[in-house]
Amino acid sequence: MNKITFLLLVFLSNITLYAQDFQGMAVYESKTSIGDDMMKMRGGKEMTPEIKKMIEERVKKMLEKTFILNFNATESVYQEEEKLDGPNQGNGMMKMMMSAVTGGQGKHYKNIKDKTLLIEKEIFGKEFLVSDTLPKIVWKMEGESRKIGNYTCYKATALVPVDKSNMMNYRPKEGVEEKLKDKTDEELGKTNFMDMVEAPKDKTITAWYAPEIPVSQGPENYWGLPGLILEVSDGKTTMLCSKVVLNVKDKKDIKAPKKGKKVTQAEFEEIMLKKMQELQQMYGGSGKGRSGMRIGG
């Protein structure tokens, strides 16, 4: 395909996409590699290699999820696919704990025209509505291309702030494994959570976008490229598009969510850090205060 033909196709696509009733849908498969960081929080104490491997595999499986992005020319909603749980998918408490660890991943709404971002999150039965300005992402075009499905995609990278409400972004501080290995459960419960972990200020993300789908949308909070983002990775979590449907017949409501206590991203991060300290005291200690959990005041 020569350059003139390519530009003509993009132009015609824009006419279609900006029609009043246009809507598209993309399916993303999300996978997360946990590495050894989570295990170091307990110093590997009383944990055989077999048990460690079993826990890692179980957590990895629970972090493999399917998400749906419904989008039009200016708005999008990104949320986990609803499905029935199969066998060995973990119990309710495990899922609740994983939800807390990942910052209560919920419905993401983006409006690129108004530059607004709204995220519905639920942590231990408490609903929040994170309301903030859509973060500006300064993309660097890398000049590389590859095929994802039938689409020619182009590579872009960016440095973005780390979401401190997602504990997957944290890592043990240097030397913490050695410091924790001889502590009793009660001593661990009294150890300040933030004395054990740290989060980098920012992280590098790599995205692959398709100019043939000229909407400035993508999974989660990612946006701002001249084409739909079909893959994005931060080195730990990768979201890869497995299906795209344009001009869908079964149109969905793409509208701003309203449920939950409204907080900013910074306020939600503070709430999550306090909650993780409570969980550390509760489950790292002797179980005291187990009935006194509260979220967000």
Side-chain angles (χ1 to χ4, degrees):
M1 182 186 299
N2 62 43
K3 188 174 182 180
I4 294 177
T5 304
F6 177 76
L7 291 174
L8 179 60
L9 286 174
V10 171
F11 174 73
L12 292 174
S13 296
N14 269 297
I15 293 176
T16 303
L17 294 180
Y18 281 87
Q20 189 174 3
D21 62 346
F22 165 76
Q23 191 177 122
M25 183 272 290
V27 179
Y28 293 84
E29 309 296 336
S30 176
K31 294 186 177 182
T32 299
S33 173
I34 63 172
D36 291 330
D37 286 354
M38 292 181 70
M39 296 301 166
K40 289 180 180 178
M41 294 309 301
R42 287 283 292 167
K45 186 174 62 172
E46 299 177 1
M47 188 181 296
T48 66
E50 292 77 17
I51 292 177
K52 180 180 177 181
K53 183 178 180 180
M54 180 190 70
I55 293 174
E56 287 176 340
E57 288 298 320
R58 185 172 296 179
V59 172
K60 179 182 176 183
K61 188 68 175 176
M62 293 192 71
L63 291 172
E64 291 180 353
K65 298 182 178 183
T66 301
F67 293 87
I68 307 295
L69 177 73
N70 290 292
F71 59 89
N72 56 35
T74 59
E75 300 171 282
S76 68
V77 169
Y78 180 78
Q79 58 188 328
E80 187 176 352
E81 180 185 43
E82 294 183 7
K83 57 185 177 181
L84 295 175
D85 292 331
N88 303 318
Q89 292 298 308
N91 57 36
M93 177 57 71
M94 182 67 171
K95 290 183 179 179
M96 193 161 55
M97 292 293 291
M98 289 306 299
S99 175
V101 167
T102 57
Q105 292 176 338
K107 181 189 297 183
H108 287 63
Y109 167 85
K110 300 193 296 289
N111 187 316
I112 62 175
K113 181 180 179 181
D114 299 336
K115 301 296 187 292
T116 55
L117 171 67
L118 293 167
I119 311 172
E120 280 185 349
K121 292 175 178 278
E122 182 177 337
I123 303 295
F124 290 103
K126 179 77 173 182
E127 293 181 330
F128 293 92
L129 182 62
V130 179
S131 175
D132 230 318
T133 302
L134 193 61
K136 182 179 180 181
I137 303 176
V138 181
W139 293 101
K140 178 185 177 184
M141 305 304 183
E142 299 292 350
E144 298 178 39
S145 66
R146 59 179 270 236
K147 281 277 192 177
I148 296 180
N150 295 324
Y151 295 98
T152 299
C153 295
Y154 296 86
K155 182 179 179 180
T157 58
L159 199 63
V160 299
V162 163
D163 177 5
K164 293 184 179 178
S165 69
N166 187 338
M167 295 300 120
M168 299 301 294
N169 289 325
Y170 283 75
R171 61 196 177 200
K173 289 183 177 178
E174 186 175 354
V176 72
E177 183 178 10
E178 187 66 25
K179 292 178 182 178
L180 296 180
K181 71 177 184 179
D182 294 325
K183 286 184 179 291
T184 64
D185 283 347
E186 186 171 355
E187 289 172 332
L188 281 170
K190 294 178 181 178
T191 303
N192 189 300
F193 178 71
M194 294 312 297
D195 288 340
M196 297 188 288
V197 298
E198 61 184 0
K201 182 180 178 181
D202 43 43
K203 60 183 178 181
T204 298
I205 57 172
T206 300
W208 294 87
Y209 66 96
E212 295 165 81
I213 312 174
V215 292
S216 188
Q217 294 285 358
E220 285 195 356
N221 303 343
Y222 301 118
W223 71 289
L225 285 165
L228 181 66
I229 298 173
L230 296 189
E231 181 179 325
V232 62
S233 174
D234 63 4
K236 183 173 290 186
T237 297
T238 298
M239 290 166 277
L240 175 63
C241 183
S242 59
K243 179 181 180 181
V244 177
V245 180
L246 301 179
N247 291 310
V248 294
K249 294 180 180 179
D250 182 18
K251 290 182 169 56
K252 306 294 182 182
D253 284 335
I254 300 178
K255 55 185 180 181
K258 298 179 179 179
K259 290 194 305 181
K261 178 182 177 181
K262 187 174 284 190
V263 293
T264 65
Q265 175 64 24
E267 289 170 337
F268 186 73
E269 288 177 357
E270 185 177 348
I271 290 169
M272 283 301 302
L273 291 178
K274 289 180 180 178
K275 178 46 54 186
M276 293 311 295
Q277 177 61 31
E278 288 182 22
L279 291 175
Q280 170 64 22
Q281 293 172 346
M282 202 180 332
Y283 292 99
S286 303
K288 294 179 180 179
R290 195 162 295 192
S291 61
M293 289 176 56
R294 70 177 186 278
I295 311 269

